[in-house]
Amino acid sequence: MEDMMRKPRDYDAELKALEEKTRDLKNRKAQQLGELVISTGADALTADELAGALIVLAETKDAGKREAWAKRGAAFFQSRARRSAPSAGRDAGGAQPQPDGAQPASSGASAA
């Protein structure tokens, strides 16, 4: 009969683990956003300029503009993947090439 009894769940430990996972995900997201700002060359903007541009982007409801931005962003990531593929084979540290990639990315973006 004792074999049939289930061990009670430790809800506090599960909640703590979920909170840690949430914190880690938020930290990773913030780091990735920072890397994106750097890799696109947007780190050359002031914080006010960058915030203003992001607000305009977030407030834009024009589907055509949003689709064009999405295509341009996808092209940016695809070109970065192609450029970094040969170096990824030589260097296992995938995060290091990103800051160096900021200079070619601005010339490869063909424009603003």
Side-chain angles (χ1 to χ4, degrees):
M1 190 86 155
E2 289 179 26
D3 292 335
M4 305 279 295
M5 294 186 68
R6 292 172 37 141
K7 182 178 176 182
R9 289 176 68 173
D10 187 351
Y11 291 107
D12 290 333
E14 289 179 27
L15 182 59
K16 184 177 179 182
L18 286 172
E19 288 170 348
E20 287 177 18
K21 185 174 182 178
T22 300
R23 185 180 65 249
D24 291 344
L25 288 171
K26 285 181 181 180
N27 288 338
R28 188 177 334 149
K29 182 179 180 180
Q31 180 179 353
Q32 290 173 339
L33 287 171
E35 291 171 357
L36 181 61
V37 167
I38 292 168
S39 68
T40 59
D43 60 327
L45 301 172
T46 66
D48 290 341
E49 292 170 330
L50 183 57
L54 291 172
I55 290 168
V56 169
L57 293 172
E59 291 175 346
T60 299
K61 303 296 185 222
D62 183 338
K65 284 184 180 180
R66 295 179 72 93
E67 185 177 337
W69 294 334
K71 286 180 182 177
R72 188 165 178 183
F76 171 78
F77 286 117
Q78 288 172 354
S79 69
R80 282 183 52 90
R82 277 186 244 123
R83 278 197 306 266
S84 65
S87 64
R90 289 178 285 168
D91 185 342
Q96 292 176 348
Q98 290 178 354
D100 297 337
Q103 293 167 349
S106 62
S107 63
S110 74

